[in-house]
Amino acid sequence: MNIQKNNVFISWQSQESRLWHVVGNLDYDGESYTFRYTNGSKKAKNDGFTPFQGMDDLDRTYTSFQLFPLFQNRVLSKRRPEYPRFISWLRLNDHATEMDLLERSNGIKITDNLQTFSRLKVNEVGEFDCCFFVHGLSHRSEEAKEYVNNLSVGTELLLQHEPENDYDSHATLVLSPMEEGSKMKLGYCPRYLSADISHLLNNNTESMVFTVESVNESAPIHYRLMCRLKGKVKSDFDPSSLDRDEFEFVQEIGYA
């Protein structure tokens, strides 16, 4: 399965507050790449964020015919012997583009605190469909990790809003199905999707199904469990209710 993405957002985590901020957007039009900072970057500056090397001005638009080094360094080369196994974890194939890899892998590097992702979108007929890796599994019990390793593709899991979470009021838990009266915490939806997902959970959907897309027992823990969220919103759903300032582009200042 390939996704042919041409647009991803960049999220940055503060080492001080541990909060995630959406700070930029990367777009590919088939010929050139464009990077722009979002309004979230200005708020993030108060939390320790500094602009990326070579892209020092938050108010400018950056273009290149080659993928910017910041992102190229997050794409595993097809020449690497582990590449076939890596794309199998991502549920992609040999035709995957660099943007596909950035979207699905989240561009994770253990040496920094950035992740790339695609927003959850509702299409013109009110449907949504997105895949993501469950976060926080490394902090769960050994019992939960073993439970995940034994899950089957297509198994339906549960989502539950956790408004009392200290770090994210939109935090959304991923739970096992009800078994003998109890639900096991398996992790969380990614923070950069949590506001949209919790909003849809709040009686805005006509239907919603959350299932296991893949289980990669041999993968690093952050690539262990991929899930798929599909559904349809109610007929009176307002798409603008998903708009948030941190995703909007910084107003560009004119340059001579």
Side-chain angles (χ1 to χ4, degrees):
M1 178 180 66
N2 281 342
I3 45 183
Q4 299 296 315
K5 287 292 181 181
N6 59 9
N7 188 285
V8 295
F9 286 91
I10 298 87
S11 190
W12 169 85
Q13 186 181 35
S14 168
Q15 294 300 300
E16 300 173 8
S17 69
R18 307 303 298 169
L19 296 176
W20 284 92
H21 301 270
V22 178
V23 297
N25 176 268
L26 176 68
D27 184 82
Y28 180 60
D29 64 6
E31 294 185 356
S32 63
Y33 296 90
T34 300
F35 174 79
R36 294 184 67 179
Y37 286 102
T38 61
N39 287 336
S41 66
K42 296 203 167 184
K43 180 179 179 181
K45 286 187 72 174
N46 298 324
D47 207 5
F49 175 71
T50 56
F52 304 129
Q53 185 176 5
M55 297 184 281
D56 301 324
D57 195 333
L58 298 184
D59 302 306
R60 298 199 73 159
T61 296
Y62 300 88
T63 59
S64 172
F65 288 110
Q66 303 295 323
L67 186 59
F68 299 99
L70 174 68
F71 303 106
Q72 186 66 64
N73 292 336
R74 297 168 190 279
V75 176
L76 187 68
S77 170
K78 292 184 178 181
R79 295 189 295 271
R80 295 281 292 271
E82 65 270 32
Y83 183 81
R85 181 175 58 175
F86 180 67
I87 62 172
S88 73
W89 293 341
L90 306 182
R91 301 280 286 177
L92 298 175
N93 62 36
D94 289 337
H95 299 293
T97 67
E98 292 176 321
M99 294 294 284
D100 288 337
L101 291 171
L102 284 170
E103 191 274 346
R104 187 57 64 81
S105 73
N106 301 131
I108 293 173
K109 293 183 67 176
I110 61 173
T111 54
D112 67 20
N113 49 346
L114 297 176
Q115 291 194 20
T116 53
F117 69 99
S118 180
R119 285 203 72 182
L120 187 157
K121 293 182 179 179
V122 176
N123 66 21
E124 62 277 3
V125 295
E127 297 172 338
F128 54 91
D129 184 353
C130 70
C131 290
F132 56 83
F133 286 101
V134 173
H135 284 202
L137 181 57
S138 62
H139 302 295
R140 302 273 66 86
S141 66
E142 290 303 314
E143 181 185 8
K145 294 172 186 175
E146 184 64 23
Y147 180 89
V148 166
N149 287 340
N150 289 298
L151 282 170
S152 300
V153 173
T155 298
E156 190 165 347
L157 301 178
L158 303 177
L159 294 174
Q160 180 177 300
H161 184 206
E162 188 183 54
E164 69 278 8
N165 187 287
D166 292 335
Y167 298 101
D168 179 11
S169 61
H170 301 292
T172 304
L173 280 165
V174 175
L175 303 167
S176 67
M178 186 75 74
E179 294 180 353
E180 298 181 0
S182 63
K183 293 177 286 188
M184 185 184 300
K185 291 184 180 181
L186 305 180
Y188 288 86
C189 296
R191 179 266 157 196
Y192 34 77
L193 297 177
S194 63
D196 292 342
I197 292 174
S198 65
H199 182 63
L200 292 173
L201 281 172
N202 187 27
N203 301 315
N204 287 291
T205 57
E206 180 179 298
S207 63
M208 180 184 287
V209 180
F210 184 59
T211 57
V212 174
E213 182 73 6
S214 69
V215 178
N216 306 307
E217 190 172 354
S218 64
I221 195 74
H222 49 270
Y223 292 140
R224 187 69 51 81
L225 175 60
M226 180 191 290
C227 291
R228 187 180 205 103
L229 180 65
K230 295 181 66 173
K232 187 173 183 178
V233 297
K234 295 179 179 178
S235 58
D236 60 353
F237 177 77
D238 178 7
S240 67
S241 63
L242 293 177
D243 293 344
R244 296 207 308 284
D245 183 64
E246 67 176 340
F247 286 94
E248 299 299 320
F249 295 139
V250 171
Q251 184 65 43
E252 185 174 0
I253 296 175
Y255 291 89

